[in-house]
Amino acid sequence: MGTEAKNSSYQYKVAMLDREGTYARWSQEIAKAGLYWKFVRFDTTDSLIDNLEHQVFDVVIIPCSMQALIDIENMARVTQLQPQSIRVFFGSEFWNPGYKAKAAEVAHRIYPTTTTLQEIGEQLDYQVKLVRLLNRSSLQTYVSNVGCLPSPPQMYKQLTDAINSDVADLRTIGEIVAQDPAVTARIMKQVNSAFFGFSREISDLTEAISMLGVRNLRSMALSSQLQQQFRPDNDWKQFSFDKLAERSLLVGRLAQAISRRAGASKAIQDQAFLAGLLHDLGVLIMASHDPDQYKKILNYSAKKQKPIYLVEKAAFGFFHGEVAGALLALWNLPPQVVEAVMLHHVPHLSENKEFTALTAVHVADAMLPSIDTVGNCDLASGLSLRYLDQVGVMEEVPQWRIAANEYRLRMVSNS
């Protein structure tokens, strides 16, 4: 059964699973904080799931218990039932990094119990805005009309299931990847390129997985399959799709390195790598869907020296970060990956005041040169000092530039 806050004038509803009755006073505390949510507590998982099957909630909160895997499994069920809801874990100090990494696959935010209701409220406001932006009808119609798959490639799902099973070994992971020889060949080529800088040639897929890590491999497999799906028109000469993909790999690698230097968790490092790989997916989608129109976009951007995302926004009502973000959200990819891809050109729209995957991807994209295009259109982001100051990382910029120069040299040596 549920208990509902008296004041329900705000625009979204919040459901919480509270098996122990620990949060019985939250209704009163929410009202005192001026949040005015329609707040409903459920004392059993079955009652929560049953209600999610019959009514829509904007936010679902699950407290972190000592049974972490069950909590994560429950949140995965929430994701399937209501993929557009904001999903939150609360009380994360009880979980080790491994559980937090799994939780980051399905939750928008993971908070310790020291987080105040006001802080949660501000973040939820922001997350709801992002979801509504991604779900506006014009953007959803466009994504549905460009030939995108209704779900992520099967290999990504199989690798995700293997990662979450805790029993899959490197051989099993390798067998999943080997199902697609083209993906295997691309991954092995990338592993042995200057982009990774390994001291010797890696010839065995199992060894490559060991060197990369399973989550990095999964990210590369997804990126590779998407590159196969979105290919250039035969007459396309504006830029090389392959060079754009190579640069995206470097952005992912640099974003991961920046996250590591910033002391971010392994989950954020993995999110940064995946988001870096996919940050310009929207460019591939838009250019392959309507090449003639996108040529005009590129030419106008170069001629007027306007950022590409602003020209896209004027022409379509949305830009390539939003196109990719809408697709990845449709596929239920990790929410912070979706956020980083969506906002990498406009990180100042984020209301976060802490380092996230978005920070790393924005910096990496801004610090690496654009690929060559006809007319010299700059596809890279401009570094947002306003955003970096908001996150409190301005003092790190010189060191990040040094790291970026190393990757810049790899980009040149592989050209």
Side-chain angles (χ1 to χ4, degrees):
M1 61 180 294
T3 60
E4 187 172 307
K6 292 181 180 179
N7 193 329
S8 59
S9 62
Y10 208 57
Q11 74 260 35
Y12 54 83
K13 299 191 298 183
V14 180
M16 175 182 249
L17 177 60
D18 185 17
R19 289 182 292 247
E20 306 298 327
T22 307
Y23 301 93
R25 293 186 56 81
W26 262 36
S27 293
Q28 293 86 348
E29 293 174 11
I30 286 168
K32 287 180 182 178
L35 297 175
Y36 307 117
W37 302 341
K38 183 177 181 182
F39 178 68
V40 187
R41 289 189 308 112
F42 298 96
D43 51 20
T44 68
T45 302
D46 288 344
S47 62
L48 172 64
I49 297 300
D50 181 65
N51 275 270
L52 291 177
E53 290 175 342
H54 295 93
Q55 60 177 313
V56 175
F57 285 90
D58 298 287
V59 182
V60 178
I61 303 174
I62 295 181
C64 302
S65 73
M66 301 307 291
Q67 296 178 307
L69 294 179
I70 293 177
D71 293 338
I72 294 168
E73 181 181 340
N74 286 334
M75 192 65 87
R77 294 174 68 188
V78 172
T79 304
Q80 293 300 319
L81 287 170
Q82 295 197 17
Q84 295 180 11
S85 67
I86 306 302
R87 302 176 295 277
V88 174
F89 283 114
F90 188 68
S92 60
E93 60 268 34
F94 301 117
W95 286 357
N96 63 37
Y99 290 146
K100 289 180 182 178
K102 289 181 181 294
E105 298 273 333
V106 293
H108 291 77
R109 289 292 183 267
I110 307 170
Y111 294 116
T113 50
T114 53
T115 311
T116 67
L117 277 173
Q118 286 84 355
E119 291 170 332
I120 294 175
E122 291 173 2
Q123 281 292 307
L124 293 186
D125 288 345
Y126 163 63
Q127 292 294 331
V128 168
K129 289 175 186 175
L130 284 188
V131 168
R132 290 180 176 174
L133 278 173
L134 288 175
N135 284 285
R136 55 194 200 275
S137 59
S138 59
L139 180 56
Q140 289 295 317
T141 299
Y142 182 85
V143 170
S144 66
N145 287 336
V146 296
C148 294
L149 298 173
S151 58
Q154 184 66 17
M155 183 183 294
Y156 181 83
K157 183 179 184 304
Q158 290 177 326
L159 289 172
T160 299
D161 291 343
I163 290 171
N164 292 334
S165 73
D166 286 328
V167 296
D169 55 19
L170 295 184
R171 179 181 175 184
T172 303
I173 299 295
E175 289 173 350
I176 294 173
V177 177
Q179 294 173 19
D180 190 326
V183 169
T184 303
R186 182 183 288 271
I187 289 174
M188 295 305 297
K189 180 181 178 181
Q190 291 174 334
V191 167
N192 287 300
S193 70
F195 300 149
F196 278 89
F198 291 136
S199 58
R200 59 181 177 81
E201 183 175 347
I202 309 299
S203 58
D204 180 72
L205 179 58
T206 302
E207 184 181 10
I209 298 170
S210 177
M211 300 285 283
L212 293 171
V214 175
R215 281 185 166 82
N216 284 350
L217 177 92
R218 179 187 59 172
S219 298
M220 292 172 66
L222 175 61
S223 174
S224 178
Q225 290 194 300
L226 291 175
Q227 289 159 27
Q228 291 179 31
Q229 180 181 354
F230 300 107
R231 302 301 301 169
D233 179 81
N234 290 334
D235 296 327
W236 182 261
K237 299 291 189 295
Q238 298 300 110
F239 61 78
S240 165
F241 274 41
D242 288 337
K243 289 297 182 185
L244 188 66
E246 290 176 359
R247 182 182 182 276
S248 292
L249 175 59
L250 274 188
V251 170
R253 291 279 290 158
L254 178 55
Q256 193 173 42
I258 287 171
S259 300
R260 188 162 50 247
R261 288 170 181 264
S265 68
K266 185 64 167 60
I268 291 178
Q269 293 176 37
D270 292 339
Q271 291 167 355
F273 181 65
L274 177 54
L277 281 175
L278 302 179
H279 78 287
D280 273 342
L281 171 62
V283 172
L284 299 181
I285 294 173
M286 298 173 85
S288 60
H289 175 59
D290 192 340
D292 290 336
Q293 185 172 19
Y294 206 70
K295 286 177 188 176
K296 295 176 183 178
I297 298 291
L298 293 168
N299 291 335
Y300 188 84
S301 174
K303 181 179 179 181
K304 298 296 183 179
Q305 294 188 323
K306 287 188 174 184
I308 186 70
Y309 76 91
L310 288 180
V311 181
E312 292 168 344
K313 186 82 170 179
F316 294 97
F318 43 79
F319 56 94
H320 66 268
E322 293 175 299
V323 170
L327 177 62
L328 301 179
L330 179 67
W331 289 352
N332 290 329
L333 260 68
Q336 294 206 41
V337 170
V338 175
E339 178 184 11
V341 170
M342 178 184 177
L343 299 182
H344 70 275
H345 276 289
V346 287
H348 59 277
L349 298 182
S350 167
E351 297 181 9
N352 283 326
K353 295 180 173 61
E354 59 185 17
F355 185 100
T356 65
L358 170 61
T359 315
V361 173
H362 168 70
V363 172
D365 184 42
M367 289 188 174
L368 289 176
S370 173
I371 61 169
D372 293 332
T373 69
V374 173
N376 295 319
C377 177
D378 190 353
L379 298 179
S381 297
L383 191 65
S384 174
L385 299 181
R386 167 186 168 188
Y387 168 70
L388 298 183
D389 184 59
Q390 170 185 313
V391 179
V393 294
M394 285 293 293
E395 69 279 3
E396 302 292 336
V397 171
Q399 289 301 314
W400 290 344
R401 290 192 186 280
I402 293 173
N405 191 54
E406 297 175 9
Y407 286 85
R408 182 192 300 261
L409 293 175
R410 296 184 194 181
M411 187 173 175
V412 172
S413 68
N414 210 67
S415 62

